[in-house]
């Protein structure tokens, strides 16, 4: 049974930083990506970052809205996915979810319909 467990969310002020973690157990790495999604109230869930886990291992992908501020990484020895978030803005406020598998290409991380494993989410709140 696959389990994705996120942690690291919290409340920060604009310009602050947070580091999210996602511990994956029981997951067999596909020739695609793992990723981070977020969903703000009354908005659709969107992919923000992905990292290759197959032949594209280590390649990273970011949505334009977070490029240059967020960094995704993966520690295969600990089966843990990370998202370092710097220069946070109020518009980054959302529930953040770890997900796998996802497709990654350029600035696209998705689609949501292909994801078979979701974490429970961790809340990130950024105040101005």
């Amino acid at each position: 049974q696959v389990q994705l467990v996120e942690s690291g969310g919290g409340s920060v002020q604009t310009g602050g930083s947070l580091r999210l973690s996602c511990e994956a157990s029981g997951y067999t790495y596909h020739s695609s990506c793992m990723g981070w999604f977020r969903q703000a109230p009354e908005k659709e869930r969107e992919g923000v970052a992905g990292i290759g886990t197959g032949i594209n291992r280590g390649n990273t992908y970011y949505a334009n809205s977070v490029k240059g501020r967020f960094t995704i990484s993966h520690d295969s020895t600990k089966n843990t996915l990370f998202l370092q978030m710097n220069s946070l803005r109020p518009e980054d406020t959302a529930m953040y979810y770890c997900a796998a598998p996802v497709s990654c290409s350029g600035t696209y991380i998705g689609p949501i319909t292909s994801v078979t494993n979701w974490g429970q989410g961790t809340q990130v709140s950024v105040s101005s």
Side-chain angles (χ1 to χ4, degrees):
Q1 183 178 355
V2 176
Q3 271 196 314
L4 302 175
V5 181
E6 301 100 332
S7 61
S11 298
V12 296
Q13 292 187 324
T14 297
S17 297
L18 286 171
R19 189 190 196 207
L20 306 184
S21 299
C22 171
E23 188 171 342
S25 60
Y27 181 70
T28 300
Y29 293 100
H30 296 236
S31 57
S32 57
C33 282
M34 294 184 72
W36 287 96
F37 289 71
R38 68 185 181 187
Q39 187 165 19
E42 300 183 358
K43 291 191 176 181
E44 293 186 354
R45 193 169 295 190
E46 61 173 349
V48 296
I51 188 165
T53 56
I55 58 174
N56 59 347
R57 183 178 297 274
N59 288 357
T60 56
Y61 308 83
Y62 299 97
N64 284 328
S65 59
V66 306
K67 196 176 293 184
R69 300 187 298 122
F70 290 11
T71 302
I72 188 171
S73 61
H74 179 248
D75 185 336
S76 59
T77 63
K78 298 179 180 179
N79 290 331
T80 302
L81 187 69
F82 300 98
L83 186 67
Q84 178 66 43
M85 304 186 297
N86 298 328
S87 301
L88 283 163
R89 305 166 179 170
E91 54 263 40
D92 295 317
T93 295
M95 187 72 80
Y96 283 71
Y97 299 91
C98 173
V102 298
S103 296
C104 298
S105 178
T107 60
Y108 176 76
I109 300 99
I112 294 173
T113 52
S114 73
V115 176
T116 54
N117 302 289
W118 292 99
Q120 83 286 356
T122 186
Q123 178 68 38
V124 171
S125 298
V126 185
S127 59
S128 57

